[in-house]
Amino acid sequence: TDLITLHVRHLARNGTTRTQTYTHSAESETYHQTHSHRAYQGLANLYRRALRMRPLHDHQKQAISRLREALRSGSRRPMLQAPTGSGKTQIAAAIVEMARDKGNRAVFTVPAKELIDQTVKRFYAEGIRDVGVIQADHHMTDCSKPVQIASVQTLQRRLLPEADIVIVDEAHRSFAFMEEWMTKDEWLDVPFIGPSATPWTKGRGRPYDRPTT
């Protein structure tokens, strides 16, 4: 279990300062305080950043920057083109982390159940631990978690989870269910981001808006 200790200095109105010490268990996402003090959401964000193990490469930062530009311009179904070996899962984890910093819920879909545990491990390596899994009777099933890693096969047999952003891994793979989900009226304003090394696959012009690289 990773354990982080954070020392925070507080400035009082009378000009004096005091130091507050927090410890954080990454495994349980539980905060423990040496003195009574409220743990703000901003503090949780600091913990998540502290847990990050790898900085983004320049090409990954550029991909995220262009993706954000596409979203600001009104795109809600951008295809993110990234070649094999470019770190698509790390880019996705960074996008999820930015969503969590805003208090948003994220869903990351995978096209095969064999990719579930692999994705969980990669998210954990990037400091994203508040994860639930939607896949049969997986031991990490927990719909209360703000980040859900879901197999497409299980999703199509269940109620859709709440989400403020959806990332569709291997988006070049075609699933009628995913296209139906993405075109539902109540989901039109929710961004669906499709990372893929081969976005030119036949039929991928629909339902995605525009490719970003």
Side-chain angles (χ1 to χ4, degrees):
T1 300
D2 294 321
L3 191 67
I4 291 177
T5 301
L6 184 66
H7 303 282
V8 182
R9 299 193 71 191
H10 302 279
L11 179 64
R13 290 183 179 178
N14 62 7
T16 62
T17 62
R18 64 186 177 88
T19 299
Q20 194 81 25
T21 302
Y22 299 85
T23 60
H24 173 68
S25 166
E27 176 95 3
S28 63
E29 291 290 328
T30 302
Y31 298 95
H32 308 280
Q33 305 171 32
T34 57
H35 303 288
S36 176
H37 187 76
R38 182 180 177 185
Y40 292 98
Q41 179 64 42
L43 185 59
N45 293 340
L46 287 177
Y47 282 129
R48 282 199 297 272
R49 291 192 184 99
L51 282 168
R52 286 192 63 86
M53 298 181 67
R54 294 182 298 167
L56 293 172
H57 296 293
D58 288 343
H59 71 275
Q60 294 171 323
K61 294 177 183 178
Q62 185 179 55
I64 291 173
S65 177
R66 291 181 177 176
L67 178 63
R68 295 178 76 173
E69 288 177 9
L71 292 172
R72 281 195 295 267
S73 71
S75 175
R76 286 296 175 266
R77 302 291 184 268
M79 173 74 76
L80 177 62
Q81 181 179 351
T84 301
S86 62
K88 290 190 294 296
T89 304
Q90 189 179 4
I91 293 172
I95 295 169
V96 168
E97 184 178 22
M98 288 187 288
R100 292 296 303 124
D101 285 348
K102 297 178 181 179
N104 291 333
R105 296 177 64 88
V107 172
F108 185 93
T109 72
V110 297
K113 64 181 182 180
E114 292 79 13
L115 297 175
I116 289 286
D117 290 339
Q118 173 182 307
T119 303
V120 169
K121 289 178 182 178
R122 290 184 177 179
F123 273 33
Y124 264 56
E126 299 302 328
I128 300 174
R129 312 294 178 93
D130 45 358
V131 172
V133 168
I134 302 175
Q135 190 268 311
D137 56 353
H138 197 281
H139 69 279
M140 288 183 63
T141 299
D142 186 345
C143 62
S144 70
K145 296 293 186 180
V147 179
Q148 295 290 323
I149 298 174
S151 78
V152 173
Q153 293 80 4
T154 300
L155 267 180
Q156 61 188 347
R157 299 192 299 270
R158 305 235 180 127
L159 291 175
L160 293 173
E162 294 182 17
D164 301 290
I165 187 169
V166 180
I167 302 175
V168 184
D169 191 31
E170 302 292 339
H172 58 274
R173 298 184 61 173
S174 181
F175 291 94
F177 161 76
M178 290 302 303
E179 295 194 10
E180 291 172 6
W181 182 12
M182 294 170 70
T183 55
K184 287 180 181 290
D185 289 343
E186 62 269 31
W187 287 88
L188 292 181
D189 290 332
V190 176
F192 281 69
I193 299 168
S196 174
T198 55
W200 53 83
T201 300
K202 184 178 180 180
R204 286 304 88 200
R206 189 199 62 203
Y208 291 95
D209 295 335
R210 55 184 293 184
T212 61
T213 57

